[in-house]
Every structure is written in structure tokens, then in C-alpha cells.
Amino acid sequence: MKTKATQATNQAFDVVVIGAGPAGLACAVRCAQLGLSTACIDNWRDKKGNSSLGGAYLNAGCVATLALLESARIYHTLKHDIQMHGIHAEGIALDLPQMIKRKDDIIEALQRNAADLFAHHQIQRFFGKAKLLSEGLIEFSPAEKAPGSIITARHIVLATGSAPFQLPCAAIDNKVIFDSVAALNIDSLPKRLAIIGAGVIGLELAGIWNRLGVKTTLLEAQDTFLNLPDQQISREAYRIYNEQGLDMRLGARVIAARKSRHGVTVDYQTNEGRQSLHVDKLIVATGRKPNSEDLATAEANLLLDENGYVHVDENCRTTLPGVYAIGDLTLLGPMLAHKGMEEGVFVAEQIAGLHNPINFDRLPSVIFTDPEIAWVGQTEQALRAVGEPIKIGTYYLCDTAKAQTTGKTEGLVKIIIHAETDTILGVHIIGTHAAELIAEAVLAMEFSASSEDLVRTIHAHPTLSEALHDAALKVKDGIK
Ligand code: NAD
């Protein structure tokens, strides 16, 4: 039963995309390029209260993190690392509000790009929170009590993304206890900072604050560090972050956060018992949950799982005909912007009668810390667990001339191949520019390359990419 006035608009589209994050944007643009009349409904407001395309990724996620990390990296270099170049800098000071402003300016420029892209492709933009009424019928309204409008579509794509998961024991106020979104706007430097969760977001945020000279402590419930990447890379990452001064407490499950006039006391449980840590600010980075609440009426009968993920098949189709779900909203792949973007294009092409399936086995993952971590394919531990015959080649970046010239010598490239066929099964990198270097590995795997192919590929010298070549060479020569 609706409690507010709702009006049918007589507006009908081939496709309506709900959500304008990376997945929704990519989908809407591809639909329009394929000649489908397309609309996109989104309810994100930027810091100034204006409607904004780009979703969490652009407004409160990867872009903001990367911008701040770059500033923090420069600050740290100027403070600590440039004397060896024979450069002496004095009076280096931090202007955190300016750092945040630079980040906001970048976001604004990219928002304008997205708006131009929509205008160029004649995608109809609607502002509001959308709800699926039934197949083909969507209601949206600009505010909770405002009258709603109804539009119709032959195809509907749900792309509403995800939001930070709230931890009941650490109530967010965004003054002392922040979620991972608000944490990107902290504009005064805490002396001591704790972050709950040493996952991707926790580590990326910790990297920023630690580089700015804040005493940063990560509290992670699990006993092991970074379970998703190859464990050799995780061990290397732990060692490097530790050397950078990051305090990483594993097996530390946070059970309470008590605010006081001078910050917050965090209680956590370890094998040794209950411990406490007092900090000025606390960030909660304990995962994200899909934005599926109130996305469809009960009558629409959209199937969700117990954690709120929309149920989809391998073609991103929900249980409702003509309704698709993409991006963080489903469990089809990891919560990665580029996974959502690929799915957006994939669904648009399906709607247009094309079928170009996505190869999820070739999906690169990146953690934007300093140094970066990037990988594609399978890990050594996963391959050993199933008894796959493998050979491994590793090459340390410090052995490349390029790394020596830049002074960014930390990290390694690791290639895992099938021992009988020489096919590359996984490539794992930690080091400066790992996020860029992984592209060659993804392409190689997409073309089912062998390590021999990589060895025969000429790499420019001196570059970091030679580490990939030389790791492949080590596989060939049987040198570890
Ligand atoms: P995550 O699941 O990667 O990490 C959360 C961590 O919090 C876990 O390790 C968990 O053990 C820990 N935790 C939970 N409750 C705790 C407690 N009470 N005390 C201590 N530790 C606790 O989640 P995330 O880092 O928030 O990231 C969310 C998603 O977004 C992930 O899927 C991630 O891959 C994705 N993401 C990716 C990128 C990227 O690709 N660079 C960037 C941001 C987010």
C-alpha cells in the first residue's frame, strides 16, 4: 500500500538502470551506444547536496582513496625520502583541508565527465530512490515524503551497489567513530588512529594515515593476514607495512568502542584476553553490504539471499524476467568496480541480442596500498590444495635496474604455471605500479599464454615490466 501520491509519467524506455555507480554507468552508456532508449535513476548527492553520478566508487571510494594516498605518499617522500637524492626541503607542512579539497576537485571533474557522457549518449537522468514495483514498472521519488513518479521499461538493470557494514559495537557518529566513507573527509590530523578490519579498505585507509605520520593501529579479528591474495605476497605485504610503522594486531576482535571527551577506547578480545586501546579517532572498515533494502516491493517478489544479495544466474539475470542485477549487489564475483563495469557492458549487450561472456577467471584484483598489490588467476595455496602440478618463478623488483633508479625496490613478481602445459595459472605482484603491471599478465592469460611466450616477448629495458619477463625466465630455468 502506497502512502504518498504517485504519478505514472507515461515515460517508457527500452532500459532503465537503477544506480549510476561504475556498473550502472557502464551499462547505461553501452545500452545507449547500442541504440536502446535508456534512462538511469540515481539518488547520490555530493557534499554540496547536488545529484551526482559515479556512486560510491567515485564519490566515496576508490577515486577518493587513490587521490589521498597520492598526497600522503608525496608528503612522506618530502619528509623522509628525498635527502638521499641530494635534495633538502625545509618547512614541509601538511594542509589537510587542502588535501581533501584536491580530492574533492578530482571527484567533481570526474562527475562532470560522467554527466557529459550521459548527455552525449542522450541517457535520460532521473534523481531519486527507485523501487521495483513489478517487472517493467519502477517508482522513484526525489525525497522520502515527496510524490513518486512511475516509469516503465522493457528491461531493468539493478545496480545499486553496496554500503559500509555497520558494526553494532562501534556506533558511527562520523565525529570520533567513522565509517569508511566519512573517513575520506577527516580534515584534522589525529595523533592516534585505530581502524577495525585489516581488509582491503582498512589497509588502504591505514596506508594514507600512516604516511601522514599518524600512529595507526589496525585491529583484525582473523589470526591470519590478508587471506585473499597469494600467501607469499601477503607475508611480504605484512613485512613491508610493518617496516613502515603500521601496527597490525591480528586475532583482535573488537567488542566495544567507548567514546569519551578525549577520543575513544576500543576494547578487543585476543587469545590472551580482553585488551584496550585508546585513540583519538576510530574507523570501522569491516566490510560492505549490498544496497538491496527497499529496492523492490514484496509483490515484485525479487529473490534475495539472507545477506541481502540479489540472486542472479551466470548471465546476471534475476529471478524476474527482464530484470538484471550487476556489481556489488550480487555474489557473482568480488566487489570490484571493474567487475561491475564488465557486467554492465555484458548485460547491455545481452539486451541488444549480443552475447560476449565475461571470463571471471581473468579478473584482476588490486589493493591500492603503497606499495600496491595486484593479482590475477589462482594462488599457490589454492592450486596446491587441489593437487595441481605447478611450477613457480619469482623475481624481486630490487633486482631490476628501474627499481634501483627510482628507489622503489620493495616487492616481487610471482608467476605460477601448470607444470605439464606451461600455461600461466596465476600472477601475483607486490610493488610500486603493481596495478599497472598486472595488465600484461591479464592479457597474457586471456590469450592462454605460456611462460615461454612471456620469455619470448621483448620487454623494454630498464622497466619494471622486466620483472614479469624474468619471473617467467625463472620458471623456464627451474630457478625459484
Ligand atoms: P573485507 O571483508 O575485505 O575486510 C573486513 C575485515 O574486517 C575482515 O578481515 C574481518 O575479519 C574484519 N572484522 C570484521 N569484524 C571485526 C571486528 N569486530 N573486529 C576486528 N576485525 C573485524 O571488507 P572491506 O575491506 O571493508 O572491503 C569491502 C569490499 O569492498 C571487499 O569485497 C573489497 O574487496 C571491496 N573493495 C575493493 C577495493 C579495491 O579493489 N581496491 C577497494 C575498496 C573495497
Side-chain angles (χ1 to χ4, degrees):
M1 183 74 80
K2 287 187 229 21
T3 53
K4 61 190 178 199
T6 299
Q7 219 182 8
T9 60
N10 287 333
Q11 295 203 68
F13 297 89
D14 290 330
V15 185
V16 170
V17 180
I18 303 179
L25 272 176
C27 186
V29 169
R30 190 70 187 123
C31 285
Q33 285 171 344
L34 292 168
L36 299 159
S37 65
T38 307
C40 183
I41 313 171
D42 190 275
N43 68 340
W44 193 284
R45 282 194 196 279
D46 66 14
K47 272 169 125 180
K48 295 177 183 159
N50 301 320
S51 71
S52 163
L53 300 172
Y57 147 82
L58 177 53
N59 295 283
C62 305
V63 171
T65 305
L66 269 185
L68 294 177
L69 192 61
E70 181 61 8
S71 299
R73 201 187 53 72
I74 292 171
Y75 175 74
H76 187 270
T77 301
L78 286 174
K79 275 282 217 203
H80 303 282
D81 293 339
I82 61 161
Q83 281 84 350
M84 66 173 168
H85 289 272
I87 301 168
H88 295 278
E90 276 160 26
I92 304 296
L94 193 61
D95 180 351
L96 202 50
Q98 168 56 27
M99 200 177 277
I100 303 283
K101 184 184 173 304
R102 172 185 174 273
K103 178 260 298 175
D104 290 340
D105 290 346
I106 293 166
I107 291 172
E108 244 182 79
L110 291 171
Q111 282 167 355
R112 279 196 301 276
N113 286 358
D116 289 349
L117 201 64
F118 263 37
H120 175 76
H121 287 95
Q122 297 178 343
I123 297 164
Q124 175 80 52
R125 265 177 83 174
F126 293 110
F127 179 82
K129 183 164 167 49
K131 188 180 232 174
L132 184 69
L133 299 180
S134 64
E135 292 148 35
L137 223 52
I138 304 141
E139 179 192 18
F140 67 95
S141 49
E144 208 167 312
K145 294 209 172 97
S149 308
I150 291 178
I151 55 175
T152 59
R154 286 197 301 121
H155 304 273
I156 295 169
V157 184
L158 308 174
T160 50
S162 62
F165 185 76
Q166 307 276 338
L167 205 56
C169 66
I172 304 292
D173 64 0
N174 288 334
K175 291 190 179 86
V176 181
I177 306 179
F178 296 80
D179 66 20
S180 55
V181 170
L184 296 164
N185 288 315
I186 297 176
D187 61 1
S188 65
L189 209 62
K191 275 205 175 71
R192 296 151 305 175
L193 171 77
I195 300 176
I196 311 178
V200 177
I201 295 181
L203 282 169
E204 290 181 347
L205 291 174
I208 296 170
W209 292 102
N210 192 42
R211 288 307 212 193
L212 292 178
V214 175
K215 172 92 196 94
T216 307
T217 306
L218 278 159
L219 298 167
E220 168 55 53
Q222 296 191 43
D223 293 324
T224 46
F225 181 68
L226 267 186
N227 290 322
L228 225 47
D230 187 277
Q231 285 307 287
Q232 186 179 357
I233 301 290
S234 298
R235 283 193 299 275
E236 189 70 7
Y238 187 87
R239 190 190 62 72
I240 294 171
Y241 303 152
N242 196 38
E243 265 177 19
Q244 290 175 354
L246 203 55
D247 180 358
M248 294 165 286
R249 303 188 188 176
L250 304 179
R253 177 171 296 281
V254 173
I255 47 177
R258 294 171 282 126
K259 279 192 284 179
S260 65
R261 267 187 41 212
H262 304 292
V264 53
T265 302
V266 189
D267 297 330
Y268 59 95
Q269 195 71 39
T270 68
N271 284 343
E272 278 86 52
R274 195 179 170 121
Q275 322 264 343
S276 287
L277 174 73
H278 187 78
V279 289
D280 307 310
K281 287 184 174 32
L282 174 67
I283 298 173
V284 180
T286 49
R288 296 178 67 87
K289 61 175 174 43
N291 286 327
S292 59
E293 211 179 313
D294 236 12
L295 181 58
T297 57
E299 297 78 50
N301 215 9
L302 180 71
L303 187 63
L304 309 181
D305 76 5
E306 65 280 14
N307 295 317
Y309 289 96
V310 177
H311 179 86
V312 286
D313 67 10
E314 69 282 6
N315 291 318
C316 302
R317 292 168 191 261
T318 70
T319 45
L320 305 178
V323 180
Y324 302 79
I326 57 176
D328 288 4
L329 205 48
T330 82
L331 279 177
L332 204 50
M335 282 187 174
L336 296 171
H338 47 279
K339 187 239 30 167
M341 291 160 84
E342 284 302 317
E343 286 178 338
V345 171
F346 172 55
V347 164
E349 294 188 349
Q350 267 186 77
I351 292 171
L354 308 169
H355 192 72
N356 300 313
I358 307 172
N359 190 349
F360 283 110
D361 293 341
R362 304 285 180 263
L363 195 73
S365 293
V366 179
I367 304 179
F368 290 102
T369 43
D370 181 17
E372 294 169 347
I373 297 175
W375 71 94
V376 58
Q378 305 203 58
T379 60
E380 180 181 348
Q381 66 266 20
L383 289 163
R384 295 233 186 264
V386 293
E388 199 79 76
I390 56 173
K391 284 210 269 182
I392 293 171
T394 49
Y395 198 84
Y396 283 83
L397 292 180
C398 60
D399 292 331
T400 66
K402 179 64 184 274
Q404 289 294 338
T405 61
T406 59
K408 305 278 179 196
T409 50
E410 283 161 331
L412 62 100
V413 173
K414 171 174 181 173
I415 296 185
I416 309 172
I417 59 125
H418 193 283
E420 286 147 19
T421 64
D422 193 25
T423 310
I424 302 168
L425 301 176
V427 177
H428 307 269
I429 307 175
I430 178 167
T432 186
H433 301 306
E436 314 293 333
L437 291 174
I438 201 68
E440 180 183 348
V442 178
L443 191 67
M445 289 179 70
E446 188 62 32
F447 283 89
S448 307
S450 60
S451 70
E452 177 79 22
D453 291 324
L454 275 186
V455 169
R456 303 252 164 241
T457 304
I458 302 170
H459 291 71
H461 175 75
T463 62
L464 289 177
S465 69
E466 287 174 287
L468 205 65
H469 173 273
D470 290 358
L473 200 58
K474 285 201 168 190
V475 175
K476 186 168 167 275
D477 295 346
I479 308 163
K480 253 209 152 183

